[in-house]
Coordinates of all heavy atoms in Angstrom, one line a residue:
M1 N 41.1 -0.7 1.0 CA 42.5 -0.4 1.3 C 42.7 -0.2 2.8 O 41.8 0.3 3.6 CB 42.9 0.9 0.6 CG 42.7 0.8 -0.9 SD 43.8 -0.4 -1.7 CE 45.3 0.5 -1.8
I2 N 43.8 -0.7 3.3 CA 44.2 -0.4 4.7 C 45.5 0.3 4.7 O 46.3 0.2 3.7 CB 44.3 -1.7 5.6 CG1 45.2 -2.7 4.9 CG2 42.9 -2.3 5.7 CD1 45.4 -4.0 5.8
T3 N 45.8 1.1 5.8 CA 47.0 1.9 5.8 C 47.8 1.4 7.0 O 47.4 1.1 8.0 CB 46.6 3.4 6.1 OG1 45.6 3.8 5.1 CG2 47.8 4.3 6.1
D4 N 49.1 1.2 6.7 CA 50.1 0.8 7.7 C 50.5 2.0 8.6 O 50.1 3.1 8.4 CB 51.3 0.0 7.1 CG 52.2 0.8 6.3 OD1 52.1 2.1 6.3 OD2 53.2 0.3 5.8
S5 N 51.4 1.7 9.5 CA 51.8 2.7 10.4 C 52.7 3.8 9.8 O 52.8 4.9 10.4 CB 52.6 2.1 11.6 OG 53.8 1.5 11.1
N6 N 53.2 3.6 8.6 CA 53.9 4.6 7.8 C 53.0 5.3 6.8 O 53.6 6.2 6.1 CB 55.1 3.9 7.1 CG 56.1 3.3 8.0 OD1 56.4 3.9 9.1 ND2 56.6 2.1 7.7
G7 N 51.7 5.0 6.8 CA 50.9 5.7 5.9 C 50.7 5.1 4.5 O 50.0 5.7 3.7
Q8 N 51.4 4.0 4.3 CA 51.3 3.3 3.0 C 50.0 2.5 3.0 O 49.7 1.7 3.9 CB 52.6 2.4 2.8 CG 52.6 1.9 1.4 CD 54.0 1.2 1.1 OE1 54.9 1.1 2.0 NE2 54.1 0.7 -0.1
E9 N 49.3 2.6 1.8 CA 48.1 1.8 1.6 C 48.4 0.5 0.9 O 49.2 0.4 0.1 CB 47.1 2.6 0.8 CG 46.6 3.9 1.6 CD 45.4 4.6 0.8 OE1 45.2 4.3 -0.4 OE2 44.8 5.3 1.5
F10 N 47.6 -0.5 1.4 CA 47.6 -1.8 0.8 C 46.2 -2.4 0.6 O 45.3 -1.9 1.2 CB 48.3 -2.8 1.8 CG 49.8 -2.5 2.0 CD1 50.2 -1.6 3.0 CD2 50.7 -2.9 1.1 CE1 51.5 -1.3 3.2 CE2 52.1 -2.6 1.3 CZ 52.5 -1.8 2.4
N11 N 46.1 -3.3 -0.3 CA 44.8 -4.0 -0.6 C 44.4 -4.9 0.6 O 45.2 -5.8 0.8 CB 44.9 -4.7 -1.9 CG 43.6 -5.5 -2.3 OD1 43.2 -6.4 -1.6 ND2 43.0 -5.0 -3.3
A12 N 43.4 -4.6 1.2 CA 43.0 -5.3 2.4 C 42.7 -6.8 2.1 O 43.1 -7.7 2.9 CB 41.7 -4.7 3.1
M13 N 42.1 -7.1 1.0 CA 41.8 -8.5 0.6 C 43.1 -9.3 0.5 O 43.2 -10.4 1.0 CB 41.0 -8.6 -0.7 CG 40.6 -9.9 -1.1 SD 39.5 -10.8 0.0 CE 38.0 -9.9 -0.2
K14 N 44.1 -8.7 -0.1 CA 45.3 -9.4 -0.3 C 46.0 -9.6 1.0 O 46.6 -10.7 1.2 CB 46.2 -8.5 -1.3 CG 47.5 -9.2 -1.6 CD 48.3 -8.5 -2.6 CE 49.6 -9.3 -3.0 NZ 50.3 -8.8 -4.1
I15 N 46.0 -8.6 1.9 CA 46.6 -8.8 3.2 C 46.0 -9.9 4.0 O 46.7 -10.8 4.6 CB 46.6 -7.4 4.0 CG1 47.4 -6.3 3.2 CG2 47.1 -7.6 5.4 CD1 48.9 -6.6 3.1
F16 N 44.7 -9.9 4.1 CA 44.0 -10.9 4.8 C 44.2 -12.3 4.2 O 44.4 -13.3 4.9 CB 42.5 -10.6 4.9 CG 42.1 -9.7 6.0 CD1 42.4 -8.3 6.0 CD2 41.5 -10.2 7.2 CE1 42.1 -7.5 7.0 CE2 41.3 -9.3 8.3 CZ 41.6 -8.0 8.2
S17 N 44.2 -12.4 2.9 CA 44.4 -13.7 2.2 C 45.8 -14.2 2.5 O 46.0 -15.4 2.8 CB 44.2 -13.6 0.7 OG 42.8 -13.3 0.4
M18 N 46.8 -13.3 2.5 CA 48.2 -13.7 2.8 C 48.3 -14.2 4.2 O 49.0 -15.1 4.4 CB 49.1 -12.5 2.5 CG 49.3 -12.1 1.0 SD 50.1 -10.5 0.8 CE 51.7 -10.8 1.6
A19 N 47.6 -13.5 5.1 CA 47.7 -14.0 6.5 C 47.1 -15.4 6.7 O 47.6 -16.2 7.4 CB 47.0 -12.9 7.4
I20 N 45.9 -15.6 6.1 CA 45.3 -16.9 6.2 C 46.2 -18.0 5.5 O 46.4 -19.1 6.1 CB 43.9 -16.8 5.6 CG1 43.0 -16.0 6.3 CG2 43.3 -18.3 5.4 CD1 41.6 -15.6 5.6
K21 N 46.8 -17.6 4.4 CA 47.7 -18.6 3.7 C 48.9 -18.9 4.6 O 49.3 -20.1 4.6 CB 48.1 -18.0 2.4 CG 48.9 -19.0 1.5 CD 49.2 -18.5 0.2 CE 50.0 -19.5 -0.6 NZ 50.2 -19.2 -2.0
Y22 N 49.4 -17.9 5.2 CA 50.6 -18.1 6.1 C 50.2 -19.1 7.2 O 50.9 -20.1 7.5 CB 51.1 -16.8 6.7 CG 52.1 -17.0 7.7 CD1 53.4 -17.2 7.4 CD2 51.8 -16.9 9.1 CE1 54.4 -17.4 8.3 CE2 52.8 -17.1 10.0 CZ 54.1 -17.4 9.6 OH 55.1 -17.6 10.6
L23 N 49.1 -18.9 7.9 CA 48.7 -19.7 9.0 C 48.4 -21.2 8.5 O 48.8 -22.1 9.1 CB 47.4 -19.2 9.6 CG 47.5 -17.9 10.4 CD1 46.1 -17.4 10.8 CD2 48.4 -18.1 11.6
K24 N 47.8 -21.3 7.3 CA 47.6 -22.6 6.7 C 48.9 -23.3 6.4 O 49.1 -24.5 6.8 CB 46.7 -22.5 5.4 CG 46.5 -23.8 4.7 CD 45.8 -23.5 3.4 CE 45.7 -24.8 2.6 NZ 45.0 -24.6 1.3
T25 N 49.9 -22.6 5.8 CA 51.2 -23.2 5.5 C 51.9 -23.6 6.8 O 52.5 -24.7 6.8 CB 52.0 -22.2 4.7 OG1 51.3 -21.8 3.5 CG2 53.4 -22.7 4.3
Q26 N 51.9 -22.8 7.8 CA 52.6 -23.1 9.0 C 51.9 -24.4 9.7 O 52.7 -25.2 10.2 CB 52.5 -21.9 10.0 CG 53.3 -20.7 9.6 CD 54.8 -21.1 9.4 OE1 55.5 -21.6 10.3 NE2 55.3 -20.7 8.2
M27 N 50.7 -24.5 9.6 CA 50.0 -25.6 10.2 C 50.4 -26.9 9.4 O 50.7 -27.9 10.0 CB 48.5 -25.5 10.2 CG 47.7 -26.7 10.8 SD 46.0 -26.7 10.4 CE 46.1 -27.0 8.6
L28 N 50.3 -26.8 8.1 CA 50.7 -28.0 7.3 C 52.2 -28.4 7.5 O 52.4 -29.6 7.6 CB 50.4 -27.7 5.8 CG 48.9 -27.6 5.5 CD1 48.8 -27.2 4.0 CD2 48.1 -28.9 5.7
E29 N 53.0 -27.5 7.6 CA 54.4 -27.8 7.9 C 54.6 -28.5 9.2 O 55.3 -29.4 9.4 CB 55.3 -26.5 7.9 CG 55.5 -26.0 6.4 CD 56.3 -24.7 6.4 OE1 56.8 -24.2 7.4 OE2 56.4 -24.2 5.2
E30 N 53.9 -28.0 10.2 CA 53.9 -28.6 11.6 C 53.4 -30.0 11.5 O 53.9 -30.9 12.2 CB 53.2 -27.8 12.6 CG 53.4 -28.1 14.0 CD 54.8 -28.0 14.5 OE1 55.5 -27.2 14.0 OE2 55.3 -28.8 15.3
I31 N 52.4 -30.3 10.8 CA 51.8 -31.6 10.7 C 52.9 -32.6 10.1 O 53.0 -33.7 10.5 CB 50.5 -31.6 9.9 CG1 49.3 -31.0 10.7 CG2 50.1 -33.0 9.4 CD1 48.1 -30.7 10.0
Q32 N 53.5 -32.0 9.0 CA 54.6 -32.8 8.4 C 55.7 -33.2 9.4 O 56.2 -34.3 9.4 CB 55.1 -32.1 7.2 CG 54.2 -32.1 6.0 CD 54.2 -33.5 5.3 OE1 54.6 -34.5 5.8 NE2 53.5 -33.5 4.2
K33 N 56.1 -32.1 10.2 CA 57.2 -32.4 11.2 C 56.8 -33.4 12.2 O 57.6 -34.2 12.6 CB 57.5 -31.1 11.9 CG 58.2 -30.0 11.2 CD 58.6 -28.9 12.0 CE 58.8 -27.6 11.3 NZ 58.9 -26.4 12.2
Q34 N 55.5 -33.4 12.5 CA 55.0 -34.3 13.6 C 54.8 -35.7 13.0 O 54.6 -36.7 13.8 CB 53.7 -33.8 14.2 CG 53.9 -32.4 14.7 CD 53.9 -32.4 16.2 OE1 53.6 -33.3 16.9 NE2 54.4 -31.3 16.7
K35 N 54.8 -35.9 11.7 CA 54.7 -37.2 11.1 C 53.3 -37.7 11.5 O 53.3 -38.9 12.0 CB 55.8 -38.1 11.3 CG 57.1 -37.6 10.7 CD 58.2 -38.7 10.7 CE 59.5 -38.2 10.3 NZ 59.8 -37.3 9.3
A36 N 52.3 -36.9 11.5 CA 51.0 -37.3 12.1 C 50.2 -38.2 11.1 O 49.2 -38.8 11.5 CB 50.2 -36.0 12.3
G37 N 50.7 -38.5 10.0 CA 50.1 -39.4 9.0 C 48.8 -38.8 8.5 O 47.9 -39.5 8.0
M38 N 48.7 -37.5 8.4 CA 47.6 -36.8 7.9 C 47.9 -36.2 6.5 O 49.1 -35.8 6.4 CB 47.1 -35.8 8.8 CG 46.5 -36.3 10.1 SD 46.1 -35.0 11.3 CE 45.0 -34.0 10.4
S39 N 46.9 -36.0 5.7 CA 47.1 -35.2 4.5 C 46.1 -34.0 4.5 O 45.2 -34.0 5.4 CB 46.9 -36.0 3.3 OG 45.5 -36.4 3.1
E40 N 46.3 -33.1 3.7 CA 45.4 -32.0 3.7 C 44.0 -32.3 3.5 O 43.1 -31.6 4.0 CB 45.9 -30.9 2.7 CG 45.2 -29.6 2.8 CD 45.7 -28.5 1.9 OE1 46.7 -28.7 1.3 OE2 45.1 -27.4 2.0
K41 N 43.7 -33.3 2.8 CA 42.3 -33.7 2.5 C 41.6 -34.3 3.8 O 40.4 -34.4 3.8 CB 42.2 -34.7 1.4 CG 42.9 -36.1 1.6 CD 42.8 -36.9 0.4 CE 43.6 -38.2 0.6 NZ 43.7 -39.0 -0.6
D42 N 42.4 -34.6 4.9 CA 41.9 -35.0 6.1 C 41.5 -33.8 7.0 O 40.9 -34.0 8.1 CB 42.9 -35.8 6.9 CG 43.3 -37.1 6.2 OD1 42.4 -37.7 5.5 OD2 44.4 -37.5 6.2
I43 N 41.7 -32.6 6.6 CA 41.5 -31.4 7.4 C 40.3 -30.6 6.9 O 40.2 -30.4 5.7 CB 42.8 -30.5 7.3 CG1 44.0 -31.3 7.8 CG2 42.6 -29.2 8.1 CD1 45.3 -30.7 7.6
M44 N 39.5 -30.2 7.8 CA 38.4 -29.3 7.6 C 38.8 -27.9 8.2 O 39.0 -27.9 9.5 CB 37.1 -29.8 8.2 CG 36.0 -28.9 7.7 SD 34.3 -29.5 8.1 CE 34.2 -29.0 9.9
Y45 N 38.9 -26.9 7.5 CA 39.3 -25.6 7.9 C 38.0 -24.8 8.4 O 37.0 -24.8 7.8 CB 40.0 -24.8 6.9 CG 41.3 -25.4 6.4 CD1 41.2 -26.3 5.3 CD2 42.5 -25.2 7.1 CE1 42.4 -26.8 4.9 CE2 43.6 -25.8 6.7 CZ 43.6 -26.6 5.6 OH 44.8 -27.2 5.2
V46 N 38.2 -24.2 9.6 CA 37.1 -23.4 10.1 C 37.7 -22.0 10.6 O 38.7 -22.0 11.3 CB 36.5 -24.0 11.4 CG1 35.5 -23.1 12.0 CG2 35.9 -25.3 11.0
I47 N 37.2 -20.9 10.1 CA 37.6 -19.6 10.5 C 36.4 -19.0 11.1 O 35.4 -18.9 10.5 CB 38.1 -18.8 9.3 CG1 39.3 -19.4 8.6 CG2 38.4 -17.3 9.7 CD1 39.7 -18.7 7.3
T48 N 36.6 -18.6 12.4 CA 35.5 -17.9 13.0 C 35.7 -16.4 13.1 O 36.8 -15.9 13.0 CB 35.4 -18.4 14.5 OG1 36.6 -18.1 15.2 CG2 35.2 -19.9 14.5
V49 N 34.6 -15.8 13.1 CA 34.6 -14.2 13.2 C 33.7 -13.8 14.3 O 32.7 -14.6 14.7 CB 34.2 -13.6 11.9 CG1 35.1 -13.9 10.7 CG2 32.8 -14.0 11.5
P50 N 33.9 -12.7 14.9 CA 33.0 -12.2 16.0 C 31.5 -12.1 15.6 O 31.3 -11.7 14.4 CB 33.6 -10.9 16.4 CG 35.0 -10.9 15.9 CD 35.0 -11.8 14.6
A51 N 30.6 -12.5 16.4 CA 29.2 -12.4 16.1 C 28.8 -10.9 15.8 O 27.8 -10.7 15.1 CB 28.4 -13.0 17.2
I52 N 29.5 -10.0 16.3 CA 29.1 -8.6 16.2 C 29.4 -8.0 14.8 O 28.9 -7.0 14.4 CB 29.9 -7.7 17.3 CG1 29.2 -6.3 17.4 CG2 31.3 -7.7 17.0 CD1 29.7 -5.6 18.6
W53 N 30.2 -8.8 14.0 CA 30.6 -8.4 12.7 C 29.3 -8.3 11.8 O 28.5 -9.2 11.9 CB 31.6 -9.3 12.0 CG 33.0 -9.1 12.4 CD1 33.4 -8.4 13.5 CD2 34.1 -9.5 11.8 NE1 34.8 -8.4 13.6 CE2 35.3 -9.2 12.6 CE3 34.4 -10.3 10.7 CZ2 36.5 -9.5 12.2 CZ3 35.7 -10.7 10.3 CH2 36.7 -10.2 11.1
D54 N 29.2 -7.3 10.9 CA 28.0 -7.3 10.0 C 28.3 -8.2 8.9 O 29.4 -8.8 8.7 CB 27.7 -5.9 9.5 CG 28.9 -5.2 8.7 OD1 29.7 -6.0 8.2 OD2 29.0 -4.0 8.6
E55 N 27.3 -8.4 8.0 CA 27.3 -9.3 6.9 C 28.4 -9.0 5.9 O 29.1 -9.9 5.3 CB 26.0 -9.5 6.3 CG 25.0 -10.4 7.0 CD 25.5 -11.7 7.4 OE1 26.1 -12.4 6.5 OE2 25.4 -12.1 8.6
K56 N 28.6 -7.7 5.7 CA 29.7 -7.2 4.8 C 31.0 -7.7 5.2 O 31.8 -8.2 4.4 CB 29.6 -5.8 4.6 CG 30.6 -5.2 3.6 CD 30.4 -3.7 3.4 CE 31.4 -3.2 2.4 NZ 31.3 -1.8 2.2
A57 N 31.4 -7.6 6.5 CA 32.6 -8.0 7.1 C 32.8 -9.5 7.0 O 33.9 -10.1 6.7 CB 32.8 -7.5 8.5
K58 N 31.7 -10.2 7.3 CA 31.8 -11.7 7.3 C 32.0 -12.2 5.9 O 32.8 -13.1 5.6 CB 30.5 -12.3 7.8 CG 30.3 -12.1 9.3 CD 28.9 -12.6 9.8 CE 28.6 -12.3 11.2 NZ 27.3 -12.6 11.6
Q59 N 31.3 -11.5 4.9 CA 31.5 -11.9 3.5 C 33.0 -11.6 3.0 O 33.6 -12.4 2.3 CB 30.5 -11.1 2.6 CG 30.6 -11.5 1.1 CD 30.3 -13.0 0.8 OE1 29.5 -13.6 1.6 NE2 31.0 -13.6 -0.1
F60 N 33.5 -10.5 3.5 CA 34.9 -10.2 3.2 C 35.9 -11.3 3.6 O 36.7 -11.8 2.9 CB 35.3 -8.9 3.8 CG 36.7 -8.5 3.7 CD1 37.2 -7.8 2.6 CD2 37.7 -8.9 4.6 CE1 38.5 -7.4 2.4 CE2 39.0 -8.6 4.4 CZ 39.4 -7.9 3.3
M61 N 35.6 -11.8 4.8 CA 36.5 -12.9 5.3 C 36.3 -14.2 4.6 O 37.2 -14.9 4.3 CB 36.2 -13.1 6.8 CG 37.2 -14.0 7.5 SD 38.9 -13.4 7.4 CE 38.9 -12.2 8.6
R62 N 35.0 -14.5 4.2 CA 34.8 -15.6 3.3 C 35.6 -15.6 2.0 O 36.2 -16.5 1.6 CB 33.3 -15.8 3.0 CG 32.4 -16.3 4.1 CD 31.0 -16.4 3.6 NE 30.0 -16.5 4.7 CZ 29.3 -15.5 5.2 NH1 29.3 -14.3 4.6 NH2 28.6 -15.7 6.2
E63 N 35.5 -14.4 1.4 CA 36.2 -14.2 0.1 C 37.7 -14.3 0.3 O 38.5 -14.9 -0.6 CB 35.8 -12.9 -0.5 CG 34.4 -12.9 -1.0 CD 33.9 -11.6 -1.5 OE1 34.7 -10.6 -1.7 OE2 32.6 -11.4 -1.6
A64 N 38.2 -13.7 1.4 CA 39.7 -13.9 1.7 C 40.1 -15.3 1.8 O 41.1 -15.7 1.3 CB 40.1 -13.1 2.9
A65 N 39.3 -16.1 2.5 CA 39.6 -17.5 2.7 C 39.6 -18.3 1.4 O 40.4 -19.1 1.1 CB 38.6 -18.1 3.7
Q66 N 38.6 -17.9 0.6 CA 38.4 -18.6 -0.7 C 39.6 -18.3 -1.6 O 40.0 -19.1 -2.4 CB 37.1 -18.2 -1.4 CG 35.9 -18.8 -0.8 CD 34.6 -18.3 -1.3 OE1 34.5 -17.1 -1.7 NE2 33.6 -19.1 -1.4
Q67 N 40.2 -17.1 -1.5 CA 41.3 -16.8 -2.4 C 42.6 -17.5 -2.0 O 43.5 -17.7 -2.9 CB 41.6 -15.2 -2.3 CG 40.5 -14.4 -3.0 CD 40.9 -13.0 -3.2 OE1 42.1 -12.6 -2.9 NE2 40.0 -12.2 -3.6
V68 N 42.7 -18.0 -0.8 CA 43.9 -18.8 -0.4 C 44.1 -20.0 -1.2 O 45.2 -20.3 -1.7 CB 43.7 -19.2 1.1 CG1 44.9 -20.1 1.5 CG2 43.8 -17.9 2.0
D69 N 43.0 -20.7 -1.6 CA 43.2 -21.9 -2.4 C 42.0 -21.9 -3.4 O 41.2 -22.9 -3.4 CB 43.1 -23.1 -1.5 CG 43.6 -24.4 -2.3 OD1 44.1 -24.3 -3.4 OD2 43.4 -25.5 -1.7
S70 N 42.0 -20.9 -4.3 CA 41.0 -20.8 -5.2 C 41.0 -21.9 -6.3 O 40.0 -22.1 -7.0 CB 40.9 -19.4 -5.9 OG 42.2 -19.2 -6.6
S71 N 42.2 -22.6 -6.4 CA 42.3 -23.7 -7.4 C 41.6 -25.0 -6.9 O 41.4 -25.8 -7.7 CB 43.8 -24.0 -7.6 OG 44.4 -24.4 -6.5
S72 N 41.3 -25.0 -5.7 CA 40.6 -26.3 -5.1 C 39.2 -26.1 -5.2 O 38.6 -25.1 -4.8 CB 41.1 -26.5 -3.7 OG 40.4 -27.5 -3.1
D73 N 38.4 -27.2 -5.6 CA 37.0 -27.2 -5.6 C 36.5 -27.9 -4.4 O 35.3 -28.2 -4.3 CB 36.4 -27.7 -6.9 CG 36.8 -29.1 -7.2 OD1 37.7 -29.7 -6.5 OD2 36.3 -29.6 -8.2
T74 N 37.3 -28.3 -3.5 CA 36.9 -29.2 -2.4 C 36.6 -28.4 -1.1 O 36.1 -28.9 -0.1 CB 38.1 -30.1 -2.0 OG1 39.2 -29.4 -1.6 CG2 38.3 -31.1 -3.1
H75 N 36.8 -27.0 -1.2 CA 36.4 -26.3 0.0 C 35.0 -25.6 0.0 O 34.5 -25.3 -1.1 CB 37.5 -25.1 0.2 CG 37.5 -24.1 -0.9 ND1 38.2 -24.3 -2.0 CD2 36.9 -22.9 -1.0 CE1 38.0 -23.3 -2.8 NE2 37.2 -22.4 -2.2
N76 N 34.4 -25.6 1.1 CA 33.1 -24.9 1.3 C 33.3 -23.8 2.3 O 33.8 -24.1 3.4 CB 32.0 -25.9 1.8 CG 31.7 -26.9 0.8 OD1 31.6 -26.6 -0.4 ND2 31.7 -28.2 1.2
V77 N 32.9 -22.6 1.9 CA 33.0 -21.5 2.8 C 31.6 -21.0 3.1 O 31.0 -20.6 2.1 CB 34.0 -20.4 2.3 CG1 34.1 -19.2 3.3 CG2 35.3 -21.0 2.0
Y78 N 31.2 -21.0 4.3 CA 29.8 -20.5 4.6 C 29.8 -19.2 5.3 O 30.7 -18.8 6.0 CB 29.1 -21.6 5.4 CG 29.1 -22.9 4.8 CD1 29.9 -23.9 5.1 CD2 28.1 -23.1 3.8 CE1 29.9 -25.1 4.5 CE2 28.1 -24.4 3.2 CZ 28.9 -25.4 3.5 OH 28.9 -26.6 2.9

């Protein structure tokens, strides 16, 4: 759980997944606007995290990224 500035608690996994999904959606919309001739299958997503993060934090980010498109079996998250 994470707490906002008003003291309300939210599920951290859901918040991070929503943020990643938003970024992905915005990128795909921009590609469409640019008529770049690309499809999503042409894209390899990479999310970096600081090296100082412990394994638990890195795993959390992996799981958040996997939740964005859990219906797809084409993604690999390391």
Side-chain angles (χ1 to χ4, degrees):
M1 299 299 278
I2 55 176
T3 306
D4 73 4
S5 60
N6 295 323
Q8 189 171 358
E9 290 188 344
F10 296 93
N11 180 292
M13 182 64 70
K14 184 172 184 174
I15 298 296
F16 275 77
S17 293
M18 289 171 57
I20 294 167
K21 184 174 185 172
Y22 173 81
L23 293 171
K24 177 183 175 182
T25 301
Q26 292 301 307
M27 181 199 64
L28 292 173
E29 287 177 7
E30 191 61 33
I31 287 171
Q32 285 287 8
K33 285 183 203 173
Q34 305 257 341
K35 299 188 187 323
M38 295 173 58
S39 69
E40 188 172 357
K41 64 183 173 190
D42 297 322
I43 300 168
M44 183 172 83
Y45 297 93
V46 177
I47 299 175
T48 61
V49 297
I52 195 169
W53 281 16
D54 63 21
E55 285 305 313
K56 184 177 178 181
K58 292 176 188 177
Q59 183 62 32
F60 176 88
M61 190 59 77
R62 284 184 198 100
E63 291 173 15
Q66 287 172 328
Q67 285 189 14
V68 170
D69 193 10
S70 61
S71 62
S72 172
D73 61 354
T74 60
H75 63 278
N76 293 313
V77 180
Y78 303 101

